[in-house]
Amino acid sequence: MATFVLVHGGGHGGWCYRSVAQILRGAGHEVHTPTLTGLGERAHLLHPGVDLDTHIGDIDGVLRYEDLTDVILVGHSYGGMVITGAADRAPNRVGQLVYLDAATPVNGQSLVDVAGDIMAAARLDSRVVDGVELVLHPFAEAGMFYGVTDPEVLAWMADRLTPHPWRCFEQALDLRNEAELWALPQSHIVCSSTVPSRDPELVAAARTAGRFFEIDTGHDLMITEPRAVADALMQVASA
């Protein structure tokens, strides 16, 4: 059985993987769904210093303190930045990387570099609260921004989404063990709508390797299509 660490994206928390985690655990896998500092149930820990390095340290800490090895490290959206950095910090603990409709950065890139137009739009509604510039502020139907349309699910999300510190998005990734990092197998589970905007060489290589999974749903595919996501993750594990 495999060990999964599922890392959420901007404004979310470990809660967003609830259904996927249930399916994976039901199949006998070990699953961790940490929440990054300053978000979700850890929103009370928000402070002006929270940035990408903070979140990389969060996941590095989970890998080390839970003494995990051969981990399938999964990152959604902004979580692609985080898992890349965490795998670079502890490549001996990671067996595979899975980018879940996620950013796929290289050394020196920030999320602003990777997804400039989207991040510029997000910053239009930025607000400074207690010295922290925050974006992705939740509102009644914020889940629709992530491709969710079911009214019950939208209500569930509205109670859980939290604003995200902007510093996380503008800080560049600082990789230190690139040879080991890029030697790790990578898989990509993406929404059909985002395929045209992705690096065609990366997509072609992943397809050729049998490590590309396309799901026709919105950006929060772990919420809208948990069974399809879990099935794809189990295929990654079996490979």
Side-chain angles (χ1 to χ4, degrees), residues 20-212:
V20 171
Q22 287 175 345
I23 295 168
L24 293 175
R25 289 172 182 144
H29 300 289
E30 179 179 351
V31 185
H32 299 260
T33 59
T35 292
L36 302 172
T37 299
L39 300 163
E41 75 275 14
R42 304 183 70 213
H44 63 289
L45 299 177
L46 182 65
H47 61 84
V50 172
D51 57 16
L52 174 60
D53 279 344
T54 305
H55 291 161
I56 290 170
D58 286 339
I59 303 308
D60 182 41
V62 171
L63 299 177
R64 293 176 186 275
Y65 285 94
E66 294 290 346
D67 196 20
L68 303 179
T69 57
D70 199 27
V71 167
I72 299 176
L73 189 55
V74 182
H76 173 250
S77 197
Y78 161 72
M81 304 290 300
V82 178
I83 66 167
T84 304
D88 176 76
R89 294 263 186 100
N92 59 315
R93 295 187 177 276
V94 179
Q96 301 188 56
L97 292 169
V98 179
Y99 292 89
L100 186 60
D101 213 45
T104 53
V106 297
N107 193 27
Q109 283 189 320
S110 68
L111 190 61
V112 172
D113 295 323
V114 174
D117 291 344
I118 295 173
M119 301 319 300
R123 201 178 192 187
L124 291 175
D125 189 33
S126 72
R127 308 170 204 171
V128 177
V129 180
D130 296 330
V132 183
E133 183 180 2
L134 299 172
V135 296
L136 302 181
H137 296 275
F139 53 93
E141 294 184 333
M144 294 184 70
F145 177 77
Y146 302 106
V148 179
T149 57
D150 184 291
E152 290 186 8
V153 179
L154 287 172
W156 177 75
M157 293 179 67
D159 287 338
R160 291 163 174 81
L161 291 168
T162 47
H164 197 111
W166 175 256
R167 283 188 63 171
C168 301
F169 300 148
E170 67 178 0
Q171 185 182 27
L173 192 62
D174 178 20
L175 300 179
R176 307 161 191 174
N177 299 293
E178 289 195 77
E180 293 176 274
L181 168 65
W182 301 128
L184 295 170
Q186 295 183 21
S187 297
H188 302 266
I189 305 172
V190 304
C191 300
S192 298
S193 60
T194 68
V195 173
S197 65
R198 296 189 174 277
D199 180 344
E201 291 186 8
L202 183 150
V203 171
R207 286 190 192 277
T208 299
R211 292 184 169 275
F212 190 86

